[in-house]
Amino acid sequence: MSELDTPILARPAEPAFRLDVVGAWLARRAGAIGSLLVLLVAWEVAARSGAVTPFLLPPLSAVLGRVGEDAASGDLALNLGMTLYRALTGFAIAGVAAS
């Protein structure tokens, strides 16, 4: 048989979404996902209980609401840029002061 006579075997297509793969991924990441959920719930509870002032730690629901409003109005990129500018300016001042 020559090279042209050999049949070409196509591999069967893999399904796009497999529950066993998703389940295995979730099982591997359960600790990390659980820790993140506990942190987010603790943030909301601490802020709503009054243990921390809302100025220092606003509730997670208020933060997510504000992010949603800013994204809808188009101000999110501007506010993120200003926050990044302030943080980097603070690090630069601290670096100059430390040297």
Side-chain angles (χ1 to χ4, degrees), residues 9-21:
L9 300 176
R11 294 179 56 188
E14 292 287 327
F17 184 76
R18 293 181 45 189
L19 288 178
D20 60 335
V21 173

Side-chain angles (χ1 to χ4, degrees), residues 10-94:
R11 294 179 56 188
E14 292 287 327
F17 184 76
R18 293 181 45 189
L19 288 178
D20 60 335
V21 173
V22 173
W25 182 84
L26 284 174
R28 285 192 310 269
R29 304 284 186 230
I33 293 169
S35 299
L36 181 61
L37 289 176
V38 166
L39 176 68
L40 295 176
V41 168
W43 176 1
E44 185 73 23
V45 168
R48 296 275 178 195
S49 70
V52 182
T53 64
F55 179 75
L56 293 177
L57 185 67
L60 176 62
S61 56
V63 171
L64 293 178
R66 178 62 188 265
V67 168
E69 290 172 9
D70 283 354
S73 69
D75 290 338
L76 184 61
L78 176 66
N79 290 339
L80 285 174
M82 289 300 296
T83 299
L84 183 61
Y85 170 75
R86 291 175 184 148
L88 291 176
T89 301
F91 278 118
I93 292 170

